[in-house]
Amino acid sequence: GQSDEVVFDYAVDKQAVIVTKDLGFANPFRFDLTKLFGLFILRFPNEISLGTLYKEVKKSVKEMEEENFRKKIIVVEPGSVRSRQLPSA
């Protein structure tokens, strides 16, 4: 229920990973991505149930450790996980 800016600032303050379906968080013209601890983008159809989404994400990342999330943008799609480093300061 909060604005993207409030969510972003909270994540930066708490060194939390943002988990979202909103691609806007990956926009470097809108947010200073160098401040983020990590960004986890879910690319699934809107019609997918929350339970199915949870199972797909859990299956996709079950072997990842915390350091795999640090300073990365991770994109999870049905049957696919890809990542890249967040820009550094």
Side-chain angles (χ1 to χ4, degrees):
Q2 299 293 324
S3 71
D4 290 354
E5 288 75 19
V6 169
V7 172
F8 184 88
D9 291 343
Y10 179 87
V12 168
D13 183 54
K14 301 295 183 186
Q15 293 189 333
V17 174
I18 295 175
V19 179
T20 184
K21 291 179 78 176
D22 185 347
L23 293 175
F25 283 102
N27 183 344
F29 298 108
R30 185 171 177 203
F31 295 108
D32 182 358
L33 300 180
T34 64
K35 293 181 177 180
L36 271 183
F37 184 78
L39 179 60
F40 201 94
I41 299 175
L42 307 176
R43 303 285 292 156
F44 288 86
N46 289 334
E47 299 79 27
I48 193 170
S49 73
L50 189 56
T52 302
L53 176 65
Y54 176 77
K55 287 178 191 173
E56 286 288 323
V57 171
K58 186 176 177 181
K59 180 174 62 174
S60 297
V61 300
K62 83 177 194 184
E63 295 184 21
M64 290 181 152
E65 308 233 355
E66 181 181 332
E67 55 270 5
N68 293 98
F69 299 110
R70 191 171 296 133
K71 301 307 282 180
K72 290 186 181 173
I73 296 175
I74 299 171
V75 180
V76 179
E77 299 174 303
S80 170
V81 178
R82 61 185 192 278
S83 69
R84 66 177 169 92
Q85 289 297 125
L86 282 165
S88 57

